[in-house]
Amino acid sequence: MEHKLRSVFSGTGFYVLLAVSLLIAAVSGYFLLFAGNEEPLPEEPQKAVSAPARDVYVPQPEPEEDEPPVEASAPAPVEVEIVPTMPEVEVDDTPVMAEPPKLVVEPLKGEVLMAFSVDQLVYSPTLADWRTHDGVDISAKPGTTVLAATAGTVASVEDHPLMGTTVVIDHEGGYTTTYSNLQAKPTVQSGDLVTAGQIIGAVGTTAPAEAAQSPHLHFSVTRNGEAVDPSEFLNG
C-alpha cells in the first residue's frame, strides 16, 4: 500500500492530482465569489384580484299600454262676421263755433216769501187785493249782496214807482232778468257788461208795492217779453 502511494505522489501522478485539486479550488472560489453578489430577479407584480361583481337589480320599465289611436277631429267651423258696407255720407265741412257754457247762479239764497204765479191770483198784503205775481220774493236782510244770475248787459237802472230801485239785465236767447226792491244806489249802471255771479247791488226796502212784507229781493225773468218761472230759469 505504501508503495502504491509513493508511486502516485511521484512522477506524473503527482501533477495530475495537483491539477485536479487546483481546478476544484478554482470552481469553489468562483461560486463563493459570484454566487452572493447576484441580484434577485424582480418579482412580477401581483395582479389585484377583484371580487366578483354582485348582481345589481336594475328595474325594468313597465311596458307601456297601447293607447288607442287618436282620431283626428274635424276642424271647428270658423264664423266669419260679415260687415255690411255702409253707404258713403256727404260730410258737412261747415265750421262749428264752440260756444261757452251757460253759467247761471242764484242772485241770493233765502226763504221764498211769495212764489211765481201768473195763472192764479195771489193776495197782496200791501195792496190788499188779489193779483198775479210775475216774479219770486226771496227773503234777506237789508244790505245782503245781490248777484247777476248770468252774463249779460245792463239794460237799465231806475227807481220804479211801485217796485223801487230796479236793475234790468239783457242776456242771450232773448232772456231778461229784473232785480227790484234794491238799495237806492246799485253797483252797476246802464250799458255795463256783467258776468254770472257779479255783484250788482244790495237788498233794500224801496218797493212801495211790497212794503208790508219783510225785506226781500223781487226777482223776475222774461223771455221775449213773456214772464218765465225764475226757478225754471235758474235750474234749467
Side-chain angles (χ1 to χ4, degrees), residues 108-122:
L108 59 77
K109 294 183 181 296
E111 178 185 357
V112 175
L113 299 177
M114 185 173 292
F116 171 80
S117 179
V118 293
D119 297 331
Q120 295 180 355
L121 299 177
V122 294

Side-chain angles (χ1 to χ4, degrees), residues 6 12 16 44 56 85 88 99 179 205 225 227:
R6 287 181 180 177
T12 58
V16 172
E44 295 182 1
V56 179
T85 304
E88 294 184 1
E99 297 181 359
Y179 312 79
T205 55

Side-chain angles (χ1 to χ4, degrees), residues 7-61:
S7 60
V8 171
F9 286 102
S10 63
T12 58
F14 173 77
Y15 291 104
V16 172
L17 183 58
L18 180 60
V20 173
S21 299
L22 293 173
L23 179 60
I24 292 171
V27 172
S28 300
Y30 174 80
F31 280 104
L32 292 175
L33 179 63
F34 296 98
N37 294 332
E38 291 183 357
E39 297 180 357
L41 295 175
E43 297 181 359
E44 295 182 1
Q46 296 182 355
K47 297 181 179 180
V49 179
S50 60
R54 297 180 180 179
D55 294 336
V56 179
Y57 172 72
V58 179
Q60 299 296 327

Side-chain angles (χ1 to χ4, degrees), residues 50-193:
S50 60
R54 297 180 180 179
D55 294 336
V56 179
Y57 172 72
V58 179
Q60 299 296 327
E62 295 181 0
E64 298 181 357
E65 296 181 0
D66 295 336
E67 297 182 357
V70 179
E71 296 182 359
S73 58
V78 179
E79 296 182 0
V80 179
E81 182 180 0
I82 301 176
V83 181
T85 304
M86 301 299 295
E88 294 184 1
V89 180
E90 185 178 355
V91 179
D92 184 4
D93 56 357
T94 303
V96 178
M97 300 299 294
E99 297 181 359
K102 182 181 179 181
L103 179 62
V104 179
V105 299
E106 295 181 17
L108 59 77
K109 294 183 181 296
E111 178 185 357
V112 175
L113 299 177
M114 185 173 292
F116 171 80
S117 179
V118 293
D119 297 331
Q120 295 180 355
L121 299 177
V122 294
Y123 181 74
S124 171
T126 304
L127 301 176
D129 61 5
W130 295 82
R131 62 181 59 208
T132 61
H133 192 249
D134 65 350
V136 58
D137 295 339
I138 306 172
S139 176
K141 293 180 180 181
T144 303
T145 55
V146 177
L147 311 178
T150 189
T153 304
V154 177
S156 64
V157 176
E158 63 174 336
D159 185 11
H160 193 277
L162 294 177
M163 301 306 299
T165 303
T166 300
V167 173
V168 179
I169 303 177
D170 291 336
H171 310 281
E172 293 182 354
Y175 286 98
T176 298
T177 55
T178 301
Y179 312 79
S180 301
N181 200 31
L182 300 177
Q183 289 186 351
K185 294 181 179 180
T187 57
V188 293
Q189 58 185 359
S190 180
D192 286 351
L193 298 177

